[in-house]
Amino acid sequence: VAVMAEASITYSLKFQARALAAVQSDKLQSKWVVGTNALREENEIRVLQYDADQERVACIKTLTHTPEIWDIATSAESPDLLLTVHSQGGTYGATLWSMQSGTAVQRIADLPGHEGIIRGVLWHTKQTDLAVTVEEGLLHKWTISDQGVTLAGQGRAGELLQLWSGALHAQNASLCATAGGNNVQVWDLRSMACTGEVSSAHRMPVRDVCFSPCNEHRLVSSGDDCKLRVWDVRVLGRAEPLLELGGHSHWVWRAQFSPFYEQLIASSSSDSLVNLYHTPYLAASSAAEAGGAQGAQERVPAGSVGAGGELDGKAASYDEHEDSVYGLAWSNADPWLFASLSYDGRVVVNKVPKGIKYKLLI
């Protein structure tokens, strides 16, 4: 039975905002980078840190970033480097910035050659010279080095297909997934070719995709049909998810596996709710698959019972937001924290309920 979660901690930005990312380079402190999306104001980047002792969120850095910020990716190597997708006057760009000094971000290099609207930017957490930008009809692969940024390849999404977002796999740097139209695509970044697709993955447009941290064959998608669905990428031709999760009443903008526990998936929606799902049965089938067990690709029935008698499904809802929740990111340092960002500029740090935490630890 889902519960309303324990008290969350909030922080308010000056302007509306869409972009939120965990600071990947810090494994000790829970930090996030947020970027504002104001049309007629000077936008800014803020670095926020969760203070467990004081139970508060503190802003430890504020930097001017004039154009509207649509997406952020942080470096796993350097706390001072980040990539943003931005727009000004309707023209989109992507840029590598330094946050090291001064009152504004310092431009290191632009990622040139984009043709239209850039939807997102991805930066690999292990292969730190690899970045990908997701354009409406294209994927661009980039090499990031001390010398700057160079284009390393591009792949076209095909006729009439509009990509919305993407995800890299934490272990397999050649694997990328995208949300495009009502479908989910899987790409091989070595050849920049789409190698598989779930057609009609959702009944309405797909908004987000995320790979499981423990199993490169698993990914979760979310869409405008208010659903989350988990897929086995080896059998994408069969449009039957391993698991479907409900609990939202409007478009689901983000669905993110915990980087620490495959059993935890967080989501955020235009219904202003953030949900947490606990999927012990799905994780147990993943573990069995890793051990070579048969039948691991079989569909997990809705409400399946895990090893401890637990149902796969929504474990908690968080209702601290009053606007569409566009941003969602797990802490890179603490397995029991994740942040969410609504369009009105409210950042909320949410906690995994103690009951779920103890089930995972015991």
Side-chain angles (χ1 to χ4, degrees):
V1 178
V3 297
M4 291 315 294
E6 60 184 287
S8 302
I9 298 98
T10 62
Y11 179 93
S12 293
L13 302 168
K14 284 197 299 185
F15 309 127
Q16 67 252 39
R18 285 173 171 265
L20 167 77
V23 174
Q24 294 291 340
S25 60
D26 199 326
K27 301 280 195 287
L28 300 176
Q29 301 280 348
S30 294
K31 294 177 186 170
W32 291 270
V33 180
V34 290
T36 61
N37 191 249
L39 186 60
R40 292 182 178 84
E41 307 285 350
E42 197 166 54
N43 288 285
E44 59 185 28
I45 293 277
R46 290 197 175 195
V47 182
L48 306 180
Q49 180 172 317
Y50 173 68
D51 183 335
D53 296 331
Q54 301 285 327
E55 281 284 300
R56 69 187 189 103
V57 175
C59 176
I60 58 173
K61 191 174 282 191
T62 303
L63 296 166
T64 302
H65 176 301
T66 303
E68 301 157 63
I69 303 163
W70 293 92
D71 198 21
I72 296 172
T74 66
S75 166
E77 279 188 333
S78 167
D80 297 318
L81 295 179
L82 81 163
L83 291 160
T84 68
V85 173
H86 49 81
S87 70
Q88 202 157 20
T91 300
Y92 281 76
T95 303
L96 175 65
W97 308 92
S98 169
M99 298 189 291
Q100 194 162 11
S101 60
T103 58
V105 288
Q106 304 297 314
R107 184 186 306 267
I108 296 174
D110 288 323
L111 283 59
H114 293 98
E115 297 174 8
I117 296 174
I118 308 169
R119 291 295 186 191
V121 61
L122 315 169
W123 197 341
H124 204 276
T125 55
K126 300 275 194 319
Q127 189 176 318
T128 53
D129 64 342
L130 169 66
V132 172
T133 46
V134 181
E135 217 181 306
E136 274 198 328
L138 284 169
L139 281 188
H140 281 106
K141 180 173 72 170
W142 305 91
T143 300
I144 297 176
S145 67
D146 296 339
Q147 282 73 48
V149 182
T150 52
L151 181 63
Q154 72 172 35
R156 291 201 171 267
E159 294 296 318
L160 305 176
L161 188 63
Q162 287 200 341
L163 300 181
W164 184 264
S165 66
L168 299 175
H169 193 279
Q171 310 304 329
N172 183 348
S174 65
L175 202 55
C176 180
T178 52
N182 292 21
N183 311 341
V184 170
Q185 301 81 28
V186 173
W187 300 74
D188 186 332
L189 294 179
R190 294 166 297 189
S191 60
M192 294 305 291
C194 180
T195 57
E197 184 170 46
V198 187
S199 57
S200 302
H202 290 259
R203 289 186 293 277
M204 297 171 76
V206 185
R207 295 295 173 187
D208 199 22
V209 286
C210 178
F211 283 104
S212 159
C214 312
N215 184 337
E216 69 180 53
H217 305 307
R218 293 271 169 94
L219 65 82
V220 64
S221 62
S222 65
D224 287 0
D225 58 0
C226 314
K227 303 294 186 188
L228 285 74
R229 289 178 171 164
V230 181
W231 306 93
D232 185 325
V233 300
R234 294 167 299 181
V235 285
L236 289 181
R238 189 182 70 194
E240 183 84 356
L242 293 171
L243 179 66
E244 182 180 281
L245 297 164
H248 285 292
S249 60
H250 209 270
W251 306 341
V252 186
W253 288 98
R254 302 285 284 166
Q256 294 286 303
F257 274 105
S258 159
F260 298 96
Y261 292 101
E262 189 181 21
Q263 297 97 318
L264 298 178
I265 302 171
S267 63
S268 66
S269 165
S270 296
D271 62 11
S272 79
L273 284 179
V274 173
N275 285 338
L276 178 70
Y277 301 88
H278 181 220
T279 61
Y281 184 93
L282 186 75
S285 77
S286 178
E289 181 184 322
Q294 292 299 309
Q297 297 173 21
E298 293 175 7
R299 189 175 192 272
V300 179
S304 295
V305 180
E310 293 296 316
L311 291 173
D312 279 5
K314 187 169 74 169
S317 276
Y318 306 79
D319 61 354
E320 297 285 335
H321 292 287
E322 297 172 6
D323 205 341
S324 294
V325 189
Y326 292 127
L328 183 74
W330 287 87
S331 166
N332 197 44
D334 186 331
W336 316 116
L337 293 178
F338 56 99
S340 49
L341 169 68
S342 49
Y343 189 58
D344 56 8
R346 182 179 298 177
V347 179
V348 180
V349 175
N350 309 284
K351 298 178 182 177
V352 174
K354 287 189 173 72
I356 300 295
K357 177 178 175 179
Y358 295 144
K359 283 170 189 169
L360 291 171
L361 289 174
I362 292 170

